[in-house]
Amino acid sequence: MHPSLFLAALCLGITTAAPQPDQSLDAHWSRWKAAHGKLYDEDEEGERRSVWERNMKMIELHNQEYSQGKHSFMMAMNAFGDLTSEEFKQVLNDLKIQKHEEGNVFQAPLFAEIPSSVDWREKGYVTPVKDQGQCQSCWAFSATGALEGQMFRKTGKLVSLSEQNLVDCSRSQGNEGCRGGLMDYAFQYVKDNGGLDSEESYPYLARNESCKYRPEKSAANVTTFWHVLNKEDGLMTTVATVGPVSAAVDSSLDSFQFYKKALNFTFPGIYYDPNCSSESLNHGVLVVGYGFEGAESDNKKYWIVKNSWGTNWGTQGYMLLAKDRDNHCGIATMASFPVV
Ligand SMILES: *[C@@H]1O[C@H](CO)[C@@H](O)[C@H](O)[C@H]1NC(C)=O
Ligand SMILES: *[C@@H]1O[C@H](CO)[C@@H](O)[C@H](O)[C@H]1NC(C)=O
Ligand SMILES: *[C@@H]1O[C@H](CO)[C@@H](O)[C@H](O)[C@H]1NC(C)=O
Ligand SMILES: *[C@@H]1O[C@H](CO)[C@@H](O)[C@H](O)[C@H]1NC(C)=O
């Protein structure tokens, strides 16, 4: 964790003195701290504990409401449990700008067969879920995800690509390292640079470093990149015919922070929060497929979304996000992918 970001996080939101902790949660709190490697100094501990308790209660309430059929997904405590939603927004929601600049628009082939479900993970296009840590580099993970898929499509080899290479080296394209960026700028960098190193040769550090690109370790190329038309139909056609696609979403709500797929198959755990914005996008993710639960007409369609918050978040790091419900969370607003 970078100290300056951590400080920025601590300076936000918490101004009142911490209330007395609920002692019945002592053991749970200790287990949670141990599980997530949290160490606080004495001053900080009380404040973090009270944020964590508030989040615990909110999650409990949500899950009670879930059992009454009021929500389609459950929530669970995770590594973000000691962050208020304000801090969470600051630390992890990290797209630089919120709209698509001019770009080439992709038209899916006419008459292409579009299946009603697709999961590129089953076809070998998708690397394991990664963890951006406390660095605002979601844009880099979204971009490598799309590029890993397209390289696999071309070569038949799945090679994990370096986010750190993008964080360190794509400033002149407009990215700002651990301060945020855009997937398009990342694709532009790989194109300008003539390559991108593999994850193995240029591992992730979750902090700004100087550029250490080595052409001999490059594992990908980009010739151009395309924008997907601003509709879920277009996104579906593109995902079906191209592979995993980079997209941006509004991830700023508590429900997103603590999202967890439901275990109950009657209610499969598709994320839907009426307060999720389709315009105010702040987080880059990867759409690796789509599908539906129950009958196709049941309004239980979803996008399969790969996140970069580790496997502890969501369902092994993935989210099922409501599909064909008015561009929920803006999933189709800013989608793009590279051509290799
Ligand atoms: C799933 O949850 C619903 C609503 O809470 C409940 O009515 C149903 O019995 C549950 N089904 C299973 C298999 O647990
Ligand atoms: C990384 O670099 C950006 C852009 O130069 C800067 O704004 C940010 O503070 C740096 N972040 C860290 C964690 O050093
Ligand atoms: C990228 O393109 C260059 C120039 O055409 C080529 O030499 C290199 O092998 C390519 N790299 C990969 C990983 O395909
Ligand atoms: C949506 O946001 C409003 C205002 O912040 C809040 O009162 C309401 O409870 C939220 N609705 C849901 C379903 O979370």
Side-chain angles (χ1 to χ4, degrees), residues 27-69:
H28 195 155
W29 169 241
S30 301
R31 277 198 306 275
W32 180 83
K33 280 191 297 178
H36 300 290
K38 304 278 182 179
L39 294 171
Y40 308 107
D41 59 38
E42 257 173 72
D43 295 346
E44 207 185 334
E45 170 112 8
E47 290 172 356
R48 289 294 138 198
R49 167 90 178 241
S50 77
V51 171
W52 178 84
E53 282 189 15
R54 251 184 286 143
N55 284 330
M56 282 289 290
K57 293 195 170 122
M58 176 189 64
I59 292 164
E60 258 167 44
L61 179 66
H62 175 96
N63 289 345
Q64 266 166 29
E65 291 175 353
Y66 165 82
S67 64
Q68 295 153 10

Side-chain angles (χ1 to χ4, degrees), residues 151 194 218-221:
M151 290 306 296
S218 173
N221 280 320

Side-chain angles (χ1 to χ4, degrees), residues 257-276:
Q257 184 175 351
F258 296 109
Y259 164 81
K260 181 110 189 158
K261 186 183 195 284
L263 299 171
N264 179 328
F265 294 104
T266 319
F267 294 88
I270 298 171
Y271 182 77
Y272 180 82
D273 186 323
N275 283 358
C276 207

Side-chain angles (χ1 to χ4, degrees), residues 191-210:
K191 182 181 174 190
D192 295 348
N193 189 51
L196 181 69
D197 283 351
S198 66
E199 188 86 71
E200 192 184 12
S201 70
Y202 199 153
Y204 188 61
L205 298 168
R207 57 175 189 260
N208 295 332
E209 294 272 325
S210 59

Side-chain angles (χ1 to χ4, degrees), residues 254-324:
D254 291 336
S255 52
F256 202 107
Q257 184 175 351
F258 296 109
Y259 164 81
K260 181 110 189 158
K261 186 183 195 284
L263 299 171
N264 179 328
F265 294 104
T266 319
F267 294 88
I270 298 171
Y271 182 77
Y272 180 82
D273 186 323
N275 283 358
C276 207
S277 168
S278 301
E279 281 110 43
S280 186
L281 312 179
N282 46 31
H283 186 54
V285 293
L286 186 70
V287 181
V288 303
Y290 56 82
F292 59 92
E293 295 273 352
E296 225 185 315
S297 55
D298 271 0
N299 210 11
K300 285 189 187 160
K301 287 184 261 179
Y302 55 76
W303 297 107
I304 308 171
V305 174
K306 186 189 189 193
N307 202 349
S308 50
W309 295 347
T311 51
N312 177 53
W313 178 88
T315 307
Q316 303 297 316
Y318 283 86
M319 168 181 266
L320 301 183
L321 175 71
K323 174 170 175 286
D324 296 338

Side-chain angles (χ1 to χ4, degrees), residues 1-6 134-136 167 171 175-180 206-209:
M1 181 187 313
H2 193 281
S4 75
L5 266 182
F6 190 56
Q134 301 230 352
C135 162
Q136 297 175 286
V167 166
R171 279 166 201 273
N175 288 322
E176 295 182 8
C178 282
R179 263 286 181 259
R207 57 175 189 260
N208 295 332
E209 294 272 325

